Short mmCIF file of all heavy atoms in Angstrom, two decimals:
data_model
loop_
_atom_site.label_atom_id
_atom_site.label_comp_id
_atom_site.label_asym_id
_atom_site.label_seq_id
_atom_site.Cartn_x
_atom_site.Cartn_y
_atom_site.Cartn_z
N PRO A 601 -47.12 223.98 -7.11
CA PRO A 601 -47.80 222.95 -7.89
C PRO A 601 -47.95 221.67 -7.15
O PRO A 601 -47.11 221.20 -6.36
CB PRO A 601 -47.04 222.81 -9.17
CG PRO A 601 -45.66 223.08 -8.79
CD PRO A 601 -45.69 224.08 -7.73
N SER A 602 -49.05 220.93 -7.48
CA SER A 602 -49.21 219.60 -6.90
C SER A 602 -48.49 218.65 -7.90
O SER A 602 -47.86 219.04 -8.81
CB SER A 602 -50.79 219.20 -6.90
OG SER A 602 -51.20 219.13 -8.27
N GLN A 603 -48.58 217.34 -7.71
CA GLN A 603 -48.15 216.44 -8.66
C GLN A 603 -49.15 216.47 -9.79
O GLN A 603 -50.31 216.84 -9.63
CB GLN A 603 -48.11 215.00 -7.94
CG GLN A 603 -47.07 214.90 -6.93
CD GLN A 603 -47.14 213.38 -6.35
OE1 GLN A 603 -46.59 212.51 -7.01
NE2 GLN A 603 -47.63 213.25 -5.18
N SER A 604 -48.69 216.00 -10.90
CA SER A 604 -49.64 215.92 -12.05
C SER A 604 -50.81 214.98 -11.83
O SER A 604 -50.63 213.88 -11.37
CB SER A 604 -48.79 215.61 -13.32
OG SER A 604 -49.72 215.44 -14.45
N ILE A 605 -51.95 215.34 -12.36
CA ILE A 605 -53.09 214.46 -12.32
C ILE A 605 -52.90 213.17 -13.10
O ILE A 605 -53.47 212.18 -12.87
CB ILE A 605 -54.46 215.16 -12.78
CG1 ILE A 605 -54.40 215.47 -14.20
CG2 ILE A 605 -54.74 216.41 -11.95
CD1 ILE A 605 -55.69 215.95 -14.80
N LEU A 606 -51.97 213.25 -14.06
CA LEU A 606 -51.67 212.04 -14.88
C LEU A 606 -50.94 210.98 -14.05
O LEU A 606 -50.94 209.85 -14.34
CB LEU A 606 -50.79 212.54 -16.13
CG LEU A 606 -51.44 213.45 -17.15
CD1 LEU A 606 -50.49 213.81 -18.17
CD2 LEU A 606 -52.78 212.84 -17.71
N ASN A 607 -50.27 211.47 -12.96
CA ASN A 607 -49.40 210.54 -12.20
C ASN A 607 -50.19 209.98 -11.03
O ASN A 607 -49.99 208.86 -10.59
CB ASN A 607 -48.11 211.20 -11.81
CG ASN A 607 -47.31 211.62 -12.94
OD1 ASN A 607 -47.37 211.01 -13.99
ND2 ASN A 607 -46.50 212.69 -12.85
N VAL A 608 -51.00 210.85 -10.34
CA VAL A 608 -51.58 210.46 -9.01
C VAL A 608 -53.08 210.49 -9.09
O VAL A 608 -53.78 210.18 -8.17
CB VAL A 608 -51.03 211.32 -7.90
CG1 VAL A 608 -49.58 211.16 -7.71
CG2 VAL A 608 -51.38 212.83 -8.12
N GLY A 609 -53.69 210.98 -10.19
CA GLY A 609 -55.18 211.12 -10.19
C GLY A 609 -55.68 212.50 -9.86
O GLY A 609 -54.86 213.26 -9.15
N VAL A 610 -56.83 212.93 -10.21
CA VAL A 610 -57.30 214.24 -10.03
C VAL A 610 -57.49 214.48 -8.54
O VAL A 610 -57.02 215.56 -8.05
CB VAL A 610 -58.68 214.38 -10.81
CG1 VAL A 610 -59.21 215.78 -10.42
CG2 VAL A 610 -58.48 214.31 -12.28
N HIS A 611 -58.21 213.64 -7.86
CA HIS A 611 -58.56 213.93 -6.31
C HIS A 611 -57.30 213.94 -5.46
O HIS A 611 -57.14 214.76 -4.62
CB HIS A 611 -59.59 212.91 -5.83
CG HIS A 611 -60.93 212.98 -6.54
ND1 HIS A 611 -61.79 214.03 -6.28
CD2 HIS A 611 -61.43 212.27 -7.53
CE1 HIS A 611 -62.83 213.84 -7.06
NE2 HIS A 611 -62.57 212.84 -7.80
N ALA A 612 -56.39 213.04 -5.83
CA ALA A 612 -55.16 213.02 -4.98
C ALA A 612 -54.33 214.30 -5.25
O ALA A 612 -53.67 214.85 -4.25
CB ALA A 612 -54.32 211.77 -5.28
N ALA A 613 -54.27 214.69 -6.48
CA ALA A 613 -53.51 215.96 -6.84
C ALA A 613 -54.16 217.17 -6.12
O ALA A 613 -53.51 217.97 -5.62
CB ALA A 613 -53.43 216.14 -8.31
N PHE A 614 -55.44 217.18 -6.20
CA PHE A 614 -56.21 218.33 -5.63
C PHE A 614 -56.08 218.48 -4.14
O PHE A 614 -55.95 219.56 -3.55
CB PHE A 614 -57.70 218.32 -5.95
CG PHE A 614 -58.48 219.41 -5.56
CD1 PHE A 614 -58.30 220.66 -6.08
CD2 PHE A 614 -59.39 219.33 -4.53
CE1 PHE A 614 -59.07 221.79 -5.70
CE2 PHE A 614 -60.15 220.43 -4.08
CZ PHE A 614 -59.98 221.60 -4.66
N ASN A 615 -55.94 217.30 -3.46
CA ASN A 615 -55.80 217.24 -1.98
C ASN A 615 -54.43 217.88 -1.63
O ASN A 615 -54.12 218.05 -0.41
CB ASN A 615 -55.95 215.91 -1.52
CG ASN A 615 -57.39 215.45 -1.52
OD1 ASN A 615 -58.31 216.25 -1.46
ND2 ASN A 615 -57.63 214.11 -1.63
N GLU A 616 -53.44 217.94 -2.54
CA GLU A 616 -52.07 218.44 -2.25
C GLU A 616 -52.04 220.03 -2.16
O GLU A 616 -51.04 220.57 -1.78
CB GLU A 616 -51.10 217.98 -3.27
CG GLU A 616 -50.88 216.56 -3.23
CD GLU A 616 -49.86 216.03 -4.29
OE1 GLU A 616 -49.26 216.91 -4.89
OE2 GLU A 616 -49.74 214.81 -4.46
N VAL A 617 -53.13 220.61 -2.60
CA VAL A 617 -53.02 222.20 -2.64
C VAL A 617 -54.12 222.72 -1.58
O VAL A 617 -55.01 222.00 -1.16
CB VAL A 617 -53.41 222.72 -4.05
CG1 VAL A 617 -52.35 222.22 -5.11
CG2 VAL A 617 -54.82 222.41 -4.46
N VAL A 618 -53.89 223.94 -1.23
CA VAL A 618 -54.77 224.58 -0.31
C VAL A 618 -55.92 225.22 -1.09
O VAL A 618 -55.77 225.80 -2.05
CB VAL A 618 -54.07 225.77 0.42
CG1 VAL A 618 -55.01 226.58 1.24
CG2 VAL A 618 -52.90 225.14 1.20
N PHE A 619 -57.12 224.99 -0.54
CA PHE A 619 -58.34 225.60 -1.15
C PHE A 619 -59.14 226.29 -0.15
O PHE A 619 -59.56 225.63 0.83
CB PHE A 619 -59.16 224.45 -1.83
CG PHE A 619 -60.35 224.97 -2.53
CD1 PHE A 619 -60.28 225.52 -3.89
CD2 PHE A 619 -61.62 224.91 -1.98
CE1 PHE A 619 -61.31 225.97 -4.64
CE2 PHE A 619 -62.73 225.33 -2.75
CZ PHE A 619 -62.50 225.91 -4.01
N ASP A 620 -59.44 227.45 -0.27
CA ASP A 620 -60.25 228.27 0.65
C ASP A 620 -61.65 228.22 0.37
O ASP A 620 -62.19 228.88 -0.57
CB ASP A 620 -59.77 229.75 0.66
CG ASP A 620 -60.35 230.54 1.75
OD1 ASP A 620 -61.36 230.21 2.35
OD2 ASP A 620 -59.76 231.64 2.11
N GLU A 621 -62.40 227.26 1.09
CA GLU A 621 -63.77 227.13 0.70
C GLU A 621 -64.64 228.34 1.10
O GLU A 621 -65.64 228.63 0.41
CB GLU A 621 -64.30 225.79 1.48
CG GLU A 621 -65.60 225.39 1.04
CD GLU A 621 -65.98 223.90 1.43
OE1 GLU A 621 -65.17 223.31 2.06
OE2 GLU A 621 -67.01 223.46 0.95
N THR A 622 -64.24 229.02 2.22
CA THR A 622 -64.98 230.16 2.60
C THR A 622 -64.96 231.29 1.46
O THR A 622 -66.00 231.90 0.98
CB THR A 622 -64.39 230.82 3.88
OG1 THR A 622 -64.55 229.84 4.95
CG2 THR A 622 -65.19 232.03 4.22
N ALA A 623 -63.75 231.56 0.95
CA ALA A 623 -63.58 232.46 -0.15
C ALA A 623 -64.30 231.99 -1.40
O ALA A 623 -64.94 232.80 -2.20
CB ALA A 623 -62.13 232.70 -0.46
N PHE A 624 -64.35 230.67 -1.67
CA PHE A 624 -65.01 230.08 -2.75
C PHE A 624 -66.52 230.37 -2.66
O PHE A 624 -67.10 230.70 -3.70
CB PHE A 624 -64.73 228.53 -2.69
CG PHE A 624 -65.42 227.73 -3.76
CD1 PHE A 624 -65.18 227.85 -5.12
CD2 PHE A 624 -66.44 226.92 -3.44
CE1 PHE A 624 -65.78 227.02 -6.08
CE2 PHE A 624 -67.14 226.11 -4.37
CZ PHE A 624 -66.86 226.13 -5.66
N VAL A 625 -66.99 230.27 -1.48
CA VAL A 625 -68.44 230.53 -1.32
C VAL A 625 -68.79 232.00 -1.41
O VAL A 625 -69.71 232.47 -2.01
CB VAL A 625 -68.93 229.93 0.03
CG1 VAL A 625 -70.31 230.41 0.31
CG2 VAL A 625 -68.88 228.50 0.03
N ASN A 626 -67.84 232.83 -0.84
CA ASN A 626 -68.08 234.25 -0.93
C ASN A 626 -68.07 234.83 -2.32
O ASN A 626 -68.87 235.76 -2.58
CB ASN A 626 -66.94 234.96 -0.12
CG ASN A 626 -67.07 234.84 1.46
OD1 ASN A 626 -68.22 234.48 1.89
ND2 ASN A 626 -66.05 234.98 2.15
N ARG A 627 -67.41 234.22 -3.24
CA ARG A 627 -67.43 234.71 -4.55
C ARG A 627 -68.44 233.93 -5.40
O ARG A 627 -68.40 233.98 -6.67
CB ARG A 627 -66.01 234.67 -5.28
CG ARG A 627 -65.53 233.21 -5.57
CD ARG A 627 -64.26 233.24 -6.40
NE ARG A 627 -63.85 231.94 -6.74
CZ ARG A 627 -64.27 231.24 -7.78
NH1 ARG A 627 -65.23 231.71 -8.54
NH2 ARG A 627 -63.72 230.11 -8.00
#
Side-chain angles (χ1 to χ4, degrees):
S602 69
Q603 298 180 73
S604 174
I605 66 172
L606 298 177
N607 297 331
V608 298
V610 176
H611 295 284
F614 184 69
N615 288 337
E616 293 180 9
V617 299
V618 176
F619 184 80
D620 189 338
E621 192 162 3
T622 301
F624 176 71
V625 172
N626 288 342
R627 70 171 184 83

